[in-house]
Amino acid sequence: MDNKCWICGKQEPMMFTCRHCGKTFCSDHRLPERHACEGLDRNAGYSSGTSGTSGNYNRSTTGGQAYGAGPEIDDVIKNMMKDAAKTAAKGAATGAVQRTRSSISTSPSMAIIFICIISFFLELIPGYVELFQLVPSTIFLKPWTLITHMFLHASFGHIFFNMLVLFFFGRELERRIGKDMFLYVYFISGIVAAIGYALTSSVSYPMVGASGAIMGVFATLTILAPDMQVYVYFIPMRIKYALMLFVLLDFALIGAPDMIAHTAHLSGVLVGLYMGLRIRNTRKQRRRAEYDPRRW
C-alpha cells in the first residue's frame, strides 16, 4: 500500500485511507471534500479510516468521543483559541492604553514623563533642539527656553534616569502636597536652575534636561520626609543622606569637563529646600490654628 498522500505526496506516521475511494491521504486531506473524492455520496454519512482499514469510525469509544468528528472539533477548538487570544491581546492593549491615559490625566509627573518621551523622538527633526534648548547668551532672545529646555534630553541614558527618578519621587511628592503645588515646585525649580546655570557658566554651552527641576522635587521631598528610605546605586539610605551625597558630588564636580550642569542641579536643590521648608511651616501653622484652644 502506498504510504504517500495521493494529493500532496506527504508521508506521516499515521496515514488515512478513504472508505469511499480507497486512496491514501495525509491528515490535511483525509476528509472526502478535501481531496475531491469521486466516491463521495453527499447525502450519506461518512468517515475516514486509519491506515490499512476501511471500516466506519463513527462509532463512539468508551469515553464517548466520536472519531469521525475529530477534525471538525479540532478546527473549532483552534478557531476558539485564536479568537480568545485575539480578544485577550486586544483587551490587554486597550487596558494598557486606558491606564496610560488615566495616569497622564491624573498625575502631573506622568504627564511630564509622557511629554519628555514624545519630545525625545521629536529631537530627530532638524532644528527642533536648537529652537528649544537653553543657551545662556540667547536667554533674553529666547525666554521660552527657560521652560522648554526641561523637556529635552541629550541621550537615552539622560532621559531614562531623569524620568525614572521623576516616576518614583515625583508621584510621591504629588501625594504629599497635591498636584498644583507639585507643578509649582517642579517648574520654579527648573526655571531657577536654568537662571543659575546661565549666571554661573563661563562658557555659553547649551543646556537641556529636567535634572534641575527633578533635584528641586527631590529636595522638597527630603524636607517633608527626611527619613524616607531610598536606594542610591542599590545602596539603601535615608533620603536626607542621599541628597547630601548628591550636593557634595555637584560641588566637587563644578568646572569639570563632564558636560553636566552642576550649578543647575544646586540651584534646583536650593529652590526645593526653600519650598519644602515653606510647605512644612505652613502645615505646622495650620495644625496649631486647628487645635488652638482659644477658638473655643
Side-chain angles (χ1 to χ4, degrees):
M1 180 178 292
D2 191 4
N3 289 327
K4 294 184 179 180
C5 177
W6 188 78
I7 295 293
C8 64
K10 182 169 64 175
Q11 287 183 308
E12 293 181 346
M14 181 70 74
M15 302 298 292
F16 301 89
T17 302
C18 179
R19 63 184 296 268
H20 297 285
C21 63
K23 296 176 181 178
T24 303
F25 301 96
C26 64
S27 58
D28 292 334
H29 300 100
R30 61 180 294 187
L31 297 178
E33 63 270 19
R34 298 296 295 272
H35 60 259
C37 182
E38 63 272 14
L40 176 64
D41 183 0
R42 297 188 180 276
N43 295 323
Y46 62 86
S47 66
S48 58
T50 57
S51 178
T53 63
S54 60
N56 191 335
Y57 273 77
N58 277 330
R59 63 182 182 272
S60 299
T61 63
T62 305
Q65 180 182 4
Y67 277 74
E72 293 85 350
I73 293 177
D74 289 344
D75 291 340
V76 171
I77 293 176
K78 288 179 181 179
N79 291 333
M80 289 175 62
M81 294 296 291
K82 289 180 181 179
D83 292 340
K86 291 179 181 179
T87 302
K90 184 177 179 181
T94 303
V97 171
Q98 291 177 348
R99 288 192 297 272
T100 302
R101 289 179 178 175
S102 176
S103 63
I104 291 173
S105 62
T106 57
S107 170
S109 297
M110 294 302 297
I112 292 170
I113 291 172
F114 178 77
I115 295 173
C116 287
I117 293 174
I118 296 299
S119 180
F120 184 71
F121 288 103
L122 292 177
E123 291 177 20
L124 297 173
I125 300 175
Y128 180 83
V129 174
E130 289 74 11
L131 180 63
F132 296 115
Q133 68 183 1
L134 184 138
V135 181
S137 61
T138 62
I139 195 170
F140 293 105
L141 298 176
K142 299 179 179 179
W144 61 84
T145 58
L146 288 170
I147 295 177
T148 56
H149 79 278
M150 290 182 263
F151 299 101
L152 302 177
H153 289 85
S155 64
F156 175 79
H158 190 200
I159 188 173
F160 176 80
F161 287 108
N162 272 355
M163 297 302 103
L164 185 67
V165 174
L166 183 60
F167 177 79
F168 288 108
F169 297 105
R171 297 196 303 170
E172 179 64 24
L173 186 61
E174 288 177 30
R175 186 181 65 82
R176 292 175 179 271
I177 67 176
K179 302 173 186 176
D180 294 338
M181 183 57 69
F182 168 82
L183 289 173
Y184 184 74
V185 170
Y186 183 87
F187 283 104
I188 292 298
S189 298
I191 292 172
V192 173
I195 296 174
Y197 171 75
L199 293 176
T200 57
S201 177
S202 58
V203 291
S204 190
Y205 286 136
M207 185 182 78
V208 297
S211 302
I214 293 174
M215 289 300 292
V217 169
F218 195 84
T220 303
L221 187 59
T222 300
I223 295 297
L224 299 178
D227 295 324
M228 177 186 293
Q229 192 84 353
V230 299
Y231 289 86
V232 179
Y233 298 109
F234 304 103
I235 301 174
M237 64 178 68
R238 294 179 180 179
I239 191 173
K240 58 185 179 182
Y241 299 135
L243 181 63
M244 291 174 59
L245 176 62
F246 295 150
V247 169
L248 290 175
L249 285 175
D250 279 318
F251 266 119
L253 294 174
I254 290 178
D258 54 4
M259 300 303 292
I260 297 177
H262 298 287
T263 55
H265 294 179
L266 295 172
S267 300
V269 169
L270 289 176
V271 175
L273 293 175
Y274 170 77
M275 294 301 300
L277 291 171
R278 184 177 175 181
I279 294 171
R280 189 181 66 179
N281 292 336
T282 300
R283 289 180 173 179
K284 287 182 179 180
Q285 293 174 1
R286 288 179 180 176
R287 285 196 294 266
R288 289 173 184 172
E290 289 175 357
Y291 293 100
D292 189 348
R294 290 176 296 180
R295 295 179 58 191
W296 302 97

